[in-house]
Amino acid sequence: MKTEFPIPEEDLVRWRRHVHRHPELSFCEHKTVAYVEAELRAMGIDEIRRPTETSLTADITGMLPATGPVRTIALRADMDALPVEEAEGLEFRSENPGVSHVCGHDAHVAILLGTAKVLTALRSTFAGRVRLIFQHAEESLPGGARDMVAAGVLEGVDACVGLHVWNDRIGRLSVCTDRVATTASDAAWITIEGRGTHGSMPHAGIDPIVVGSELVGALHTIVSRNIAPDHFVVVSPTVFEAGKVVNVIPQTARIGLNIRTKDADDRALVRERVYALAEHVAAAHGAKVTIDWQSGYDAIVQDEGMIARAQRVAKETLPEHLIATRTGWTASEDFSAFANRVPSVYLFLGAGGPEEGYHVQNHHPAFRADEGCLPYGVAVETAFALDFLAGER
Ligand SMILES: [Zn+2]
Ligand SMILES: [Zn+2]
């Protein structure tokens, strides 16, 4: 690395292993947030707030006088774990049965703590303010970010950086050059109400399985016949529940839909088409439908200037072979709650790829971040913050 500041490598491993051993589910990050607060206070950071019960922000203010208005950059780490039983074999395996850090948020916490330690040591060298956002509940709707925003964590913030580890070469930083870095995610539950009847007397009922089957076919035309071919949209019926025994035609069937879009107009169109198809297919058969629409996270829309800054900072910080670009991710992330309010960038950090023996993606029971990625994360976040606070470039 080309950075001149020392990186606390032993601390990074200690923090990461502690958080990994003690994973907590979304909205339940009580011990994690207490641990983060204690570690920050041990560094001498005391401008700490708890916007919600299990989230935290901390400000590090530079000691140089600002030449213009004081700039503030926010760096965000999510802290929650998943309800997944971790694969065997890790020395610091999860001690919370059925819960584990298989999305790598343990690495995010360690990286942001490391960045805090470095920036605290560098306070005499910069003007402006760094706000550390330790966010709860990224993995579970409605997400923690929106509550943090409602509690005012973006007040006075000029820009925001998010970072996620993924299955790629250790330490490789991929800057997403598409403005849309992740998709919007919505869900719909469609309940079809027919009329149950004896399995031998189908004429006496309205079969919700027939209606539902036709509807599944119709739903698949939303993407193929309504969305421009170069747009990214997924509409997947992922749940179909109906019936229990073979001699009864059931009263109801239920379809669950997973919907991903990048464009706001496509998102609205999909919703309109789901309602129209469900209501009309049901009506054609004399059945009724009710739809429970669950809006999920918005797409992350990055700022062009922040993308360019990230590419420049990567060049100035990392060796050539650890710099890459990528297209948007089909997953969804509530970093959008920050990114869609202040100019932001969402970075991808390699935490071990196939060439290093890591073969599974985030959320797999055996996913884990290689500790070798942590110093790179600290170097990039620190360099980005210092570059932003130094002013326009
Ligand atoms: Zn995840
Ligand atoms: Zn994640």
Side-chain angles (χ1 to χ4, degrees), residues 78 80 103-105 108 138-139 164-165 329 333 346 362-363:
D78 41 8
D80 53 330
C103 200
H105 299 184
H108 302 171
E138 185 281 322
E139 296 285 5
H164 210 296
V165 294
W329 207 10
E333 234 281 21
Y346 187 69
N362 303 57
H363 291 202

Side-chain angles (χ1 to χ4, degrees), residues 17-24 81-82 84-102:
R17 292 189 182 192
H18 178 94
V19 175
H20 192 94
R21 264 201 185 101
H22 306 286
E24 293 176 297
L82 282 158
V84 173
E85 180 73 21
E86 185 178 9
E88 301 283 343
L90 199 61
E91 181 198 328
F92 45 94
R93 188 170 182 266
S94 165
E95 293 175 12
N96 188 358
V99 181
S100 61
H101 269 295
V102 290

Side-chain angles (χ1 to χ4, degrees), residues 16 32 46 64 85 98-99 122 143 167 225 229 239 260 282 298 304 307 349 364:
R16 184 283 169 103
T32 308
D46 53 11
L64 284 185
E85 180 73 21
V99 181
L122 294 175
N167 182 257
R225 289 298 171 267
V239 179
R260 308 283 172 144
D298 295 338
E304 303 270 13
I307 295 171
L349 179 68
H364 185 282

Side-chain angles (χ1 to χ4, degrees), residues 50-390:
R50 289 282 192 93
T52 71
E53 224 178 300
T54 56
S55 67
L56 179 154
T57 65
D59 285 0
I60 302 169
T61 307
M63 285 153 66
L64 284 185
T67 47
V70 175
R71 279 156 75 89
T72 299
I73 181 157
L75 307 174
R76 174 271 205 167
D78 41 8
M79 302 188 288
D80 53 330
L82 282 158
V84 173
E85 180 73 21
E86 185 178 9
E88 301 283 343
L90 199 61
E91 181 198 328
F92 45 94
R93 188 170 182 266
S94 165
E95 293 175 12
N96 188 358
V99 181
S100 61
H101 269 295
V102 290
C103 200
H105 299 184
D106 53 336
H108 302 171
V109 172
I111 288 168
L112 196 53
L113 283 170
T115 305
K117 188 158 185 175
V118 174
L119 286 169
T120 301
L122 294 175
R123 274 181 65 204
S124 62
T125 69
F126 67 90
R129 183 167 47 210
V130 180
R131 178 159 300 159
L132 313 170
I133 297 178
F134 287 93
Q135 186 207 313
H136 61 308
E138 185 281 322
E139 296 285 5
S140 191
L141 286 176
R146 62 170 210 171
D147 290 343
M148 294 192 80
V149 171
V153 306
L154 290 181
E155 275 165 29
V157 169
D158 300 295
C160 191
V161 178
L163 175 145
H164 210 296
V165 294
W166 68 310
N167 182 257
D168 189 30
R169 183 172 183 159
I170 295 168
R172 177 151 60 196
L173 186 79
S174 295
V175 178
C176 174
T177 48
D178 297 343
R179 282 196 71 204
V180 180
T182 62
T183 61
S185 154
D186 298 314
W189 288 100
I190 303 170
T191 303
I192 300 157
E193 177 92 23
R195 186 165 64 240
T197 181
H198 196 287
S200 69
M201 304 172 200
H203 60 286
I206 297 172
D207 187 343
I209 297 177
V210 171
V211 178
S213 303
E214 213 170 294
L215 181 55
V216 167
L219 291 167
H220 277 295
T221 67
I222 295 177
V223 176
S224 72
R225 289 298 171 267
N226 295 270
I227 304 292
D230 58 338
H231 284 212
F232 170 89
V233 174
V234 172
V235 178
S236 292
T238 45
V239 179
F240 194 152
E241 298 169 342
K244 283 196 175 67
V245 289
V246 294
N247 59 354
V248 174
I249 290 174
Q251 176 82 7
T252 61
R254 199 163 83 115
I255 295 171
L257 284 182
N258 185 253
I259 298 152
R260 308 283 172 144
T261 49
K262 287 185 173 178
D263 179 274
D265 290 342
D266 289 343
R267 192 180 188 183
L269 176 66
V270 168
R271 181 178 172 140
E272 184 199 311
R273 294 303 301 151
V274 168
Y275 273 83
L277 290 170
E279 282 161 8
H280 289 96
V281 169
H285 294 276
K288 291 199 177 81
V289 283
T290 48
I291 301 177
D292 175 15
W293 192 272
Q294 298 175 352
S295 295
Y297 301 154
D298 295 338
I300 294 176
V301 183
Q302 306 184 100
D303 174 77
E304 303 270 13
M306 291 287 279
I307 295 171
R309 190 183 291 275
Q311 290 185 293
R312 189 166 45 70
V313 167
K315 274 204 188 92
E316 291 169 3
T317 310
L318 299 171
E320 189 76 36
H321 69 281
L322 291 182
I323 302 171
T325 56
R326 60 162 294 163
T327 54
W329 207 10
T330 57
S332 307
E333 234 281 21
D334 76 340
F335 180 70
S336 53
F338 306 117
N340 299 349
R341 284 172 182 81
V342 295
S344 295
V345 68
Y346 187 69
L347 304 170
F348 294 85
L349 179 68
E355 65 270 34
E356 290 143 333
Y358 295 94
H359 297 283
V360 295
Q361 305 295 327
N362 303 57
H363 291 202
H364 185 282
F367 179 86
R368 63 192 163 89
D370 189 289
E371 284 165 355
C373 78
L374 304 175
Y376 292 101
V378 173
V380 167
E381 291 206 333
T382 304
F384 196 106
L386 293 174
D387 186 86
F388 182 85
L389 294 178

